[in-house]
Amino acid sequence: MLEHFFECYFDLSGLILCPVLGSIMILFIPNSRIRLIRLIGLCASLITFLYSLVLWIQFDPSTAKFQFVESLLLLPYENIHLVMGIDGLSLFFVILTTFLIPICILVGWSGMRSYGKEYIIAFLICSFLMIAVFCMLDLLLFYVFFESVLIPMLCGAEHLLFAGLISSAGALCSKAPMGGPPSS
């Protein structure tokens, strides 16, 4: 019975969506309730960390195959799939990411006087993007999530935001091969 519960509710999509759900909850809280915002952000990041520990317990180290593999068809006419999975190396990067995010939130706990809501949301979104980077098996989506990690990091610096967005867009368009050679 307990094994069926773990199979149904502890997968990669749940791990990836946990920080997103925390960010959505924080969006609807007024800025004046900074204590509640900090608490929800910390709880969402701790739940994500505990979630990753459950995946570590379920992980089978005897095989070199990808585990917890999920596939979702995004664009059927282009045959683009959202394929996620983890191996032994990416598992520890996911655990490290989910371990460090609550520490980062706690380090900035007392320094959040202004823009506290944005600070917590940026860390949770960054957590979501980093976990997605380590779980993506599709090269195109890996690259998209890899470049997207820069966006929440630049949101505090208005003078760097535009440059970062242009840099990310340029990198996505110029470096990522989108198809085969041109047809004649």
Side-chain angles (χ1 to χ4, degrees), residues 15 52 86 90-99 131 134-135:
L15 177 71
S52 69
I86 54 174
S90 61
L91 172 69
F92 287 108
F93 282 128
V94 168
I95 291 171
L96 180 66
T97 300
T98 59
F99 174 72
I131 293 169
F134 296 129
C135 293

Side-chain angles (χ1 to χ4, degrees), residues 71-83 136 138 140-141 145:
S71 180
L72 176 69
L73 187 62
L74 289 180
L75 299 172
Y77 53 90
E78 292 293 331
N79 199 20
I80 294 178
H81 294 264
L82 173 72
V83 184
M136 284 300 136
D138 181 25
L140 177 67
L141 289 175
F145 281 111

Side-chain angles (χ1 to χ4, degrees), residues 39-100:
L39 188 64
I40 290 175
L42 182 63
C43 286
S45 63
L46 286 173
I47 289 170
T48 307
F49 175 60
L50 293 174
Y51 210 113
S52 69
L53 291 179
V54 169
L55 287 177
W56 186 21
I57 291 168
Q58 290 183 325
F59 190 79
D60 181 19
S62 66
T63 181
K65 294 180 181 178
F66 285 104
Q67 298 179 36
F68 309 110
V69 176
E70 297 177 27
S71 180
L72 176 69
L73 187 62
L74 289 180
L75 299 172
Y77 53 90
E78 292 293 331
N79 199 20
I80 294 178
H81 294 264
L82 173 72
V83 184
M84 298 181 294
I86 54 174
D87 59 351
L89 184 62
S90 61
L91 172 69
F92 287 108
F93 282 128
V94 168
I95 291 171
L96 180 66
T97 300
T98 59
F99 174 72
L100 288 176

